[in-house]
Amino acid sequence: MPDILPNDTAEKTDPFHHQEGSAVCRQLGVDPKLGLTGQAVTERQHTYGLNALTRKRNTPPVVLFLMQFNQPLVVILIVAATVTAVLKELVDSLVIFGVVFVNAVIGFVQEYRARNAIDALARAVTKEATVLRDGIRRRIDARDLTVGDIVLLQSGDQVPADLRLIAVRDCSIDESALTGESVAVEKTSTAAAPDAVLAERTCMAYASTYVTYGTATGTVTAVGDATEIGKINAMISNAVSLETPLTRLLGRLSMLMLYVILGLAAVTFAVGIYRGSSVIEMFMASVALAVGAIPEGLPAALTITLAIGVSTMARRHAIIRKLPAVETLGSTTVICSDKTGTLTQNQMTVVSVWTDAARYEVTGVGYTPEGAVMKDAAVIRAADIPVLERIFAAGTLCNDSRLVQKDGRWIIEGDPTEGALIVAAEKAGVHRPEYERRHARIDAIPFESQYQYMATLHETGGTDRICCVKGSVESILARAELTDAGREAIHTAAASYASGGLRVLALAEKRMPPSHGRLAHQDIESGLTFLGLQAMIDPPRPEAVAAVADCRRAGISVKMITGDHELTAFAIAQKIGIVVADAAPKDTALNGKKIAAMSDGELTDVVKTVSVFARVSPEDKLRLVRALQHNGNVVAMTGDGVNDAPSLKQADIGVAMGITGTDVAKESADMVLTDDNFATIKAAVEEGRGVYDNLVKFITWTLPTNFGEGLVILIAVIMGIALPILPVQILWINMTTAILLGLMLAFEPKEPGIMERPPRAPGEPILTKPLIARIITVGSLLCASSFIAYEIALSRGEPEAAARTIAVNIFVFGEIFYLFNCRSLRLSVFSVGMFSNPPLWLGVLLMLLLQIAFTYVPFMNTAFHSAPISLIDWGMVIGASSLIMVIVAAEKFIRNRLRKRRPVSPHVR
C-alpha cells in the first residue's frame, strides 16, 4: 500500500464520509490496528505540512509604526513641516514634526499592545492528541498529526484534525463551534450519503469540535488548511476588512480640509504676488496660512480620546485590537449575534417536568445546582411525591455524564443533555451519589440512534431490580403500557413543549426479577411504566436579555444568526426580546435553505424585517452581513465559534468571546470580551457613543481657531498690511491650546440620555449644518476681535509686538471661554456640571500660567516676538472672549427652544 497519497484523493473517488471505514484506511495506506510507521509519518509531514492553520503574518513593527502616518491630515503636516524646514524656519518645523511623531508613537503603542495580548491568548493553550503509531499508543502535539494517523478520542477531547471514524462507542460530539448546533451530535462509523451536509456526516469528526460522550477511533483525512476549519480560514482571508465609520468620516473631513487649505494658500500666494510681494515672502505667508488652518492637535486628540475609551473598556474586560473599534460600536445600527454561547449559556437546563398528575416548573439556569421544583408558586420536594422522585431518579441514574466543580465553576463532563438531567435532580433533592450507592448499576444499553433510548439496570436493595429508561417521546411511548387517553395527553404536552423550542425527553422504568443480570433490547420492548417528561433548553444569559433591551432602547436592531433549529432559535429570540412575544416564526424567522434559494437582491430586502436566521452556514452568515451593509447599516457581529470567523471579519466590527471563543474567532475580531459577558456589548456601545461625542466636541472646538487664524492671514495679505499674528505665534496657539485645553475634552463624562437616542445615520457627516454654522461664527468672531484689538492697540501708539500679543491672547482666551461651551454641544455648561471634568480645570490653569509667561517672561518675548500688555489691554481680551461665550450660549438656547417646538434628529446638536 502506498504511504503517501495526494490531498485530493477523496475528490477523485467517493468522499470519505460516503466510504466504509476500512476502505478509507486502505485508501490512506494505514493499518488501523498499528497506525502509521515513524518513517511514513516523516514522509507525510513533509508532503502535507504541520497540522496548523496558516495564520496571517503580523505586520512588522516598523511597518505598523509607519502606517500611523498614513492619514491625510498627518500627510499635510509632514509636507508643511518639510517646506518650513527647507525655508530654514527650524523652530516651526521641529514643533510640527514633534506633534506628528508623538501622535504616531501613541497609536503604534496601543495597537502593538493589543496585538500582543491577542497573541498571548492564542499561545496560552497547547493542544495534544492521542495517536496509534507503530502499534504504540502515545500522546503527541496535535500539530504533528498527518494524513492517515489513527487518532483515539474520548470524552472531553478536542478533535485535533478532520477524521473518518472507523470505530465508535456511544460517541457524541459537540459541533457548535463549527455548525452552531447546540445539541451534541451522535456519531457512528456507518457511511453517510454522498451529498450529506456537514452537520449530517455522522461518520466524520471535524477539527475544533469536542467529544462530549463516549469514545471513538478515526483516521486523519485532512490536516491544517485542508480541514473544514482551514476552508473557513480561507474565507476569512477573502472577507474584506472594512474601514470603520469614524475613519471614513475623518477621511472625508481631512480631504475636504486639504482642498480648502490648499485653495486658500494658493489664493494667498497669488494675491500677494499680484500686489508686488516677493515669492519667498508669499510662500512663507502661504505656509503660515496652511499651518494655521491645519488642526495639528486633531490626530493626537483622535488617538488619545480613543485610547481613553480603550482603557475604559479594558477595565470592563474587553481587549480592543484597533483604536477606532471602540467608537465603531457607538455608531452600530445592527448587531448580529450567534445564539449558542453568546446569547445563551451553552448549558442545557431542565425548565419543566410533566407527569400525568401535574406540571412542574424548575427554577435556576445553567449547570449550577441551585434552584427548586415549583408548582403554583410553592416549592415541591421530590421525596413527597413518589412519581416525581422516580422521574428525577431515572434521569440521574440512566446517565453517563458527571457534574463537577472546577475553579469555582460547575461544568459537565459528558453530554450537555445528560448534564441537565443531573442538575435538575440535584435541585429536586435527588442527589446522585446517594442514589448510586442505593441503586448500583448492573448493566446498560447505550443510546443508539436506531432505538432512540438509553437503558440502565440497577439494584434496589429489595426483592427485584429496576430498569431506568430515557429517550425520545416516540420511542418510550411505543414500549409503555398506557391508555389511549394517556398517550394523547403525553403527545399534547410534548407538542406544547416543542412549539416553545424546548427539547423533550421521556423517562420510564420497569421492574425486573433479581436474577436478571444483563439488559437486552427485547427486555424493554414492552411493559415500561411511563414516568413523565423533562423539557429543557439552552437558557438565555440573563445579562444578554438586559443588553438586548438596552440596545433596542438605543435604536439598535439585534438579529440572531445561528446554526440551531428554527423553532428553538425563535423561542430563544422571544425570551431574549429580539422578537416580540406575539410574533409568528414565519414572519420573523428564516432558515438556511430559504436563504440559499434567495438572490442577493431578495436577501437585501428580507433582512430589513427578519430578526432570526436559523440553520445557516458560514457562507450564509457572510451573505447576511453583506446584505445588511448594503442597506447602509453599520454591522457588529458577535460570536465565539469557528463558523463565526468570516462574518466577524466582514462586519464593521467583530466581537469575539475570550473564554469560549476559538482562536480563529479571536484573530478575526476587532474586540475580544475576556469575560464572555454579552452585557459588555451594551457598555461598549455606550462608551463608543461617548467617545464619538467627545471627538465631535474637540473638532467643533478646534476648527474655529484654525479658521480664524487662516482668515486673519488671508485678510492681511489681501489688504497688504502686516500680519496681526506671526506664524510662530500661530504654532504656539495651536499646540498649547490643543494639548492643555482641547485634549481635556477627551475626559468629558458621557452626557445623560446617551443611550436613549437612536444611532446616528451611517452617512451623517461629523459636522452637521448647525455645528458648521457655529464654527464659522466663532472663527469669524476670533478673527474680527483680534483684528480690531490689534488696530486699536496700534492706534494708541503701542508697539507692534504688544498689539500682536493682544491678538494672540484673544485667540487663547477665546478658546478658553469657548471650551466651556463645547463641554456639551447642545446643553448649557451648567447642565453638565461645572466641576464634573477636573482635568479640564487643570488644563485651563496651566494654559493661564503659560499665557502669562508668553506675555511677561523676557525669553518668551524674544522667542515668540511677544511683549507685556496693560490692564486695559487685558480688558479688551476678556471682553472679546466672554462675548464669544455669550453668543454661543444664546445660540444654544434658541436652538433648544426650537427643538422643543418641533422634533429633530438627536444628532443635530
Side-chain angles (χ1 to χ4, degrees):
M1 290 182 290
D3 277 338
I4 300 179
L5 295 166
N7 267 324
D8 59 355
T9 299
E11 297 176 7
K12 294 179 179 178
T13 59
D14 283 341
F16 289 125
H17 64 264
H18 185 51
Q19 300 182 59
E20 292 300 327
S22 57
V24 173
C25 288
R26 285 195 301 273
Q27 183 177 329
L28 296 180
V30 62
D31 185 339
K33 295 181 180 179
L34 298 176
L36 294 176
T37 64
Q39 180 182 354
V41 169
T42 301
E43 292 173 348
R44 296 189 184 204
Q45 285 178 341
H46 180 73
T47 301
Y48 298 111
L50 289 176
N51 179 34
L53 298 180
T54 301
R55 294 182 62 181
K56 183 179 178 181
R57 292 184 63 185
N58 281 333
T59 305
V62 173
V63 176
L64 187 65
F65 178 72
L66 294 177
M67 287 171 61
Q68 307 302 318
F69 299 95
N70 188 27
Q71 302 176 43
L73 282 178
V74 175
V75 171
I76 297 173
L77 289 174
I78 293 173
V79 172
T82 303
V83 174
T84 305
V86 170
L87 296 175
K88 299 182 179 180
E89 297 290 339
L90 295 181
V91 175
D92 298 7
S93 179
L94 288 174
V95 170
I96 300 173
F97 273 127
V99 172
V100 172
F101 181 77
V102 169
N103 173 71
V105 168
I106 293 172
F108 167 77
V109 170
Q110 180 60 42
E111 289 196 25
Y112 191 73
R113 284 179 177 175
R115 190 177 75 180
N116 288 346
I118 297 297
D119 290 342
L121 286 175
R123 293 192 300 267
V125 180
T126 301
K127 300 180 180 64
E128 294 185 335
T130 303
V131 298
L132 193 64
R133 288 181 177 173
D134 292 316
I136 300 173
R137 178 171 172 162
R138 62 187 68 182
R139 193 80 172 159
I140 66 169
D141 189 321
R143 293 178 300 175
D144 294 330
L145 284 175
T146 190
V147 173
D149 256 325
I150 301 299
V151 177
L152 291 80
L153 301 173
Q154 63 182 9
S155 179
D157 284 350
Q158 183 180 35
V159 180
D162 286 1
L163 311 176
R164 171 58 167 92
L165 300 178
I166 55 178
V168 176
R169 176 162 181 170
D170 310 332
C171 181
S172 295
I173 295 181
D174 179 359
E175 297 182 340
S176 61
L178 192 62
T179 66
E181 170 63 69
S182 59
V183 177
V185 178
E186 181 193 354
K187 293 297 179 177
T188 176
S189 60
T190 306
D195 59 348
V197 297
L198 199 71
E200 296 173 356
R201 298 174 190 173
T202 54
C203 62
M204 300 292 293
Y206 293 106
S208 84
T209 60
Y210 285 89
V211 180
T212 62
Y213 183 76
T215 60
T217 302
T219 183
V220 175
T221 58
V223 295
D225 292 334
T227 63
E228 291 298 324
I229 292 181
K231 296 173 185 176
I232 293 177
N233 194 47
M235 284 193 290
I236 297 170
S237 299
N238 294 329
V240 180
S241 291
L242 302 179
E243 288 183 304
T244 69
L246 178 65
T247 55
R248 284 195 292 262
L249 292 171
L250 285 175
R252 292 175 199 156
L253 178 63
S254 297
M255 292 308 297
L256 176 63
M257 292 178 63
L258 171 63
Y259 296 139
V260 171
I261 291 168
L262 293 180
L264 289 176
V267 169
T268 301
F269 185 82
V271 170
I273 295 297
Y274 176 77
R275 296 182 64 88
S277 301
S278 69
V279 173
I280 296 296
E281 182 184 356
M282 280 302 95
F283 197 85
M284 282 303 299
S286 298
V287 170
L289 184 145
V291 172
I294 293 173
E296 290 92 342
L298 181 56
L302 168 64
T303 303
I304 293 173
T305 303
L306 291 175
I308 291 171
V310 167
S311 299
T312 302
M313 292 309 300
R315 292 193 294 270
R316 291 183 160 187
H317 310 290
I319 296 175
I320 304 298
R321 300 190 67 196
K322 293 185 178 180
L323 281 178
V326 68
E327 181 277 332
T328 308
L329 269 174
S331 62
T332 296
T333 58
V334 177
I335 296 178
C336 297
S337 177
D338 186 36
K339 177 183 73 69
T340 305
T342 305
L343 291 170
T344 66
Q345 301 182 29
N346 202 16
Q347 298 181 348
M348 294 296 288
T349 304
V350 173
V351 294
S352 185
V353 178
W354 184 92
T355 70
D356 59 358
R359 177 170 176 162
Y360 305 89
E361 305 305 319
V362 183
T363 63
V365 294
Y367 294 146
T368 303
E370 296 176 358
V373 180
M374 310 285 293
K375 184 177 183 298
D376 299 329
V379 176
I380 304 297
R381 292 180 66 253
D384 297 335
I385 303 176
V387 69
L388 200 58
E389 181 182 16
R390 287 157 59 197
I391 192 173
F392 283 119
T396 197
L397 291 173
C398 187
N399 200 309
D400 286 331
S401 297
R402 285 286 181 271
L403 174 66
V404 297
Q405 193 173 25
K406 288 185 178 179
D407 300 324
R409 296 174 61 238
W410 289 95
I411 62 171
I412 291 295
E413 291 182 348
D415 184 73
T417 300
E418 290 192 332
L421 297 177
I422 298 171
V423 174
E426 291 292 328
K427 293 174 182 177
V430 177
H431 303 300
R432 190 178 193 188
E434 176 188 344
Y435 276 74
E436 285 183 330
R437 284 194 299 271
R438 289 163 45 190
H439 305 288
R441 182 186 290 192
I442 301 168
D443 197 17
I445 298 176
F447 183 91
E448 295 178 26
S449 57
Q450 66 184 101
Y451 293 104
Q452 291 293 310
Y453 66 76
M454 174 183 177
T456 53
L457 182 65
H458 300 269
E459 296 281 7
T460 62
T463 57
D464 58 5
R465 290 176 172 175
I466 189 168
C467 175
C468 298
V469 188
K470 75 171 190 294
S472 67
V473 176
E474 293 75 12
S475 66
I476 301 300
L477 290 185
R479 295 164 174 80
E481 296 181 347
L482 293 163
T483 63
D484 290 342
R487 291 179 188 276
E488 183 63 29
I490 295 168
H491 277 300
T492 300
S496 174
Y497 283 136
S499 66
L502 276 68
R503 189 178 187 204
V504 184
L505 282 183
L507 294 106
E509 64 182 19
K510 184 177 181 178
R511 296 285 172 172
M512 292 187 172
S515 59
H516 205 96
R518 290 188 62 83
L519 272 182
H521 288 293
Q522 57 265 32
D523 294 329
I524 49 178
E525 278 297 312
S526 60
L528 295 184
T529 301
F530 181 83
L531 297 176
L533 307 173
Q534 292 198 45
M536 60 191 71
I537 198 169
D538 183 6
R541 293 176 178 266
E543 62 271 23
V545 177
V548 168
D550 288 337
C551 288
R552 290 177 70 92
R553 280 194 295 271
I556 299 169
S557 174
V558 180
K559 297 182 184 292
M560 178 190 291
I561 302 179
T562 178
D564 215 335
H565 293 280
E566 191 171 349
L567 275 179
T568 302
F570 181 78
I572 291 291
Q574 281 188 315
K575 293 177 183 295
I576 291 176
I578 292 176
V579 298
V580 296
D582 57 353
K586 64 182 180 64
D587 298 325
T588 55
L590 197 67
N591 61 43
K593 289 183 179 178
K594 294 179 182 177
I595 294 173
M598 290 181 176
S599 67
D600 289 342
E602 291 172 329
L603 189 61
T604 300
D605 290 333
V606 167
V607 295
K608 296 176 183 177
T609 56
V610 175
S611 299
V612 179
F613 301 91
R615 285 299 194 192
V616 296
S617 66
E619 293 86 349
D620 294 332
K621 291 186 177 185
L622 270 176
R623 288 187 66 204
L624 288 167
V625 172
R626 287 169 178 162
L628 288 163
Q629 289 171 333
H630 187 269
N631 288 332
N633 289 294
V634 177
V635 181
M637 172 73 188
T638 69
D640 57 1
V642 173
N643 62 328
D644 297 323
S647 45
L648 282 174
K649 185 173 182 181
Q650 175 66 36
D652 294 275
I653 179 167
V655 184
M657 303 298 148
I659 298 174
T660 60
T662 58
D663 291 342
V664 176
K666 294 172 189 172
E667 290 177 9
S668 302
D670 299 289
M671 182 169 77
V672 179
L673 307 184
T674 59
D675 62 352
D676 283 14
N677 192 336
F678 189 83
T680 308
I681 301 298
K682 178 260 180 184
V685 171
E686 185 176 9
E687 191 64 33
R689 291 187 175 190
V691 165
Y692 184 82
D693 280 357
N694 289 347
L695 283 173
V696 175
K697 291 172 185 177
F698 176 86
I699 294 170
T700 305
W701 171 83
T702 194
L703 289 187
T705 304
N706 302 111
F707 176 70
E709 289 167 345
L711 204 57
V712 165
I713 294 172
L714 181 61
I715 292 174
V717 170
I718 291 174
M719 295 178 64
I721 62 176
L723 296 178
I725 304 176
L726 297 175
V728 70
Q729 293 171 340
I730 289 175
L731 283 171
W732 167 264
I733 295 170
N734 289 357
M735 296 317 306
T736 56
T737 58
I739 294 171
L740 296 178
L741 300 181
L743 289 182
M744 299 305 108
L745 289 172
F747 298 95
E748 195 65 34
K750 293 180 286 291
E751 294 185 28
I754 196 171
M755 288 298 288
E756 301 299 324
R757 67 192 192 204
R760 64 183 184 277
E764 181 182 272
I766 292 180
L767 298 176
T768 58
K769 290 180 180 178
L771 293 185
I772 292 174
R774 187 180 299 172
I775 289 168
I776 294 173
T777 299
V778 175
S780 299
L781 288 171
L782 287 170
C783 176
S785 300
S786 61
F787 250 118
I788 293 171
Y790 175 76
E791 292 297 333
I792 290 175
L794 291 178
S795 68
R796 293 207 315 262
E798 295 192 34
E800 191 173 50
R804 284 176 172 151
T805 303
I806 295 171
V808 169
N809 276 301
I810 285 179
F811 266 93
V812 172
F813 278 80
E815 287 189 85
I816 291 174
F817 280 86
Y818 182 50
L819 181 70
F820 288 93
N821 288 122
C822 289
R823 291 192 60 201
S824 174
L825 300 177
R826 182 173 55 88
L827 303 174
S828 162
V829 64
F830 301 104
S831 301
V832 295
M834 285 294 292
F835 300 99
S836 59
N837 185 356
L840 182 138
W841 284 99
L842 177 61
V844 169
L845 176 61
L846 292 175
M847 191 69 240
L848 291 175
L849 293 175
L850 281 180
Q851 275 311 110
I852 292 172
F854 174 88
T855 306
Y856 296 106
V857 175
F859 83 86
M860 296 287 282
N861 297 153
T862 302
F864 292 99
H865 311 287
S866 59
I869 59 176
S870 66
L871 287 178
I872 295 176
D873 297 329
W874 279 115
M876 280 196 297
V877 170
I878 301 301
S881 303
S882 59
L883 179 63
I884 293 173
M885 184 178 189
V886 171
I887 290 175
V888 174
E891 180 259 341
K892 281 188 188 180
F893 178 78
I894 294 171
R895 196 172 296 280
N896 285 333
R897 291 293 295 268
L898 294 175
R899 182 181 284 110
K900 291 179 181 178
R901 293 181 182 178
R902 55 182 175 85
V904 298
S905 166
H907 308 298
V908 179
R909 299 175 172 89

